[in-house]
Amino acid sequence: MQGKLSHSIQVDHRRKLVDVRISGILMPEDVAWVGEEIREAVRSLGAAAGQHVTLYDLTGLQVAPAAAVDMIKDTFANPVVRNLWSRKLAVVASTALIRMQAHRVRDARPDLVVFDNREAALAWLLAD
């Protein structure tokens, strides 16, 4: 399945955790529909939307072209979706390129924290 985009979104209502895993190649044409699926998952939290935490596990992501990263930044910067922002946002990235791309998104989401492993990211997200 190398190259092809694969993703999953799990919502843990009890812990108010949205867990997004993306692998393969995230192309610009994928950003909008994956983003809408993520927003729909956040909306499923009801009144807890905006009080939740989000984990983006990108350990299987091979690359995201610059245009895709720019679209992600623009989405986070869009005031229309601001009420759906998580109170804490963690990204797990296993390569230097994906870490660098995640850091670029900080222009729109300066509170984003990048981790090397999932366990550390979850521990940070779920700590009070």
Side-chain angles (χ1 to χ4, degrees):
M1 183 186 281
Q2 187 172 3
K4 182 177 168 136
L5 178 70
S6 176
H7 75 289
S8 67
I9 305 167
Q10 302 293 321
V11 178
D12 181 334
H13 291 268
R14 183 182 60 78
R15 297 190 297 176
K16 299 178 188 166
L17 168 68
V18 177
D19 184 350
V20 180
R21 295 180 191 222
I22 300 175
S23 60
I25 299 174
L26 181 65
M27 298 300 292
E29 56 268 22
D30 299 320
V31 172
W33 66 266
V34 171
E36 189 52 41
E37 287 184 13
I38 294 167
R39 287 185 292 278
E40 195 59 37
V42 170
R43 287 183 194 103
S44 79
L45 291 165
Q51 300 304 312
H52 67 287
V53 296
T54 303
L55 173 64
Y56 285 90
D57 186 336
L58 307 180
T59 54
L61 189 63
Q62 296 168 3
V63 68
V69 176
D70 289 341
M71 290 175 74
I72 293 166
K73 281 174 44 179
D74 291 347
T75 299
F76 277 121
N78 185 342
V80 172
V81 297
R82 177 62 182 101
N83 64 325
L84 297 177
W85 274 19
S86 57
R87 63 182 178 82
K88 291 171 99 175
L89 175 62
V91 172
V92 181
S94 59
T95 69
L97 175 60
I98 301 302
R99 276 192 295 279
M100 181 185 71
Q101 290 178 321
H103 285 286
R104 286 186 51 215
V105 175
R106 281 189 178 159
D107 293 344
R109 211 37 225 266
D111 58 331
L112 178 150
V113 179
V114 179
F115 293 88
D116 292 328
N117 68 72
R118 184 176 175 83
E119 294 75 23
L122 278 170
W124 177 77
L125 283 170
L126 299 174
D128 287 332

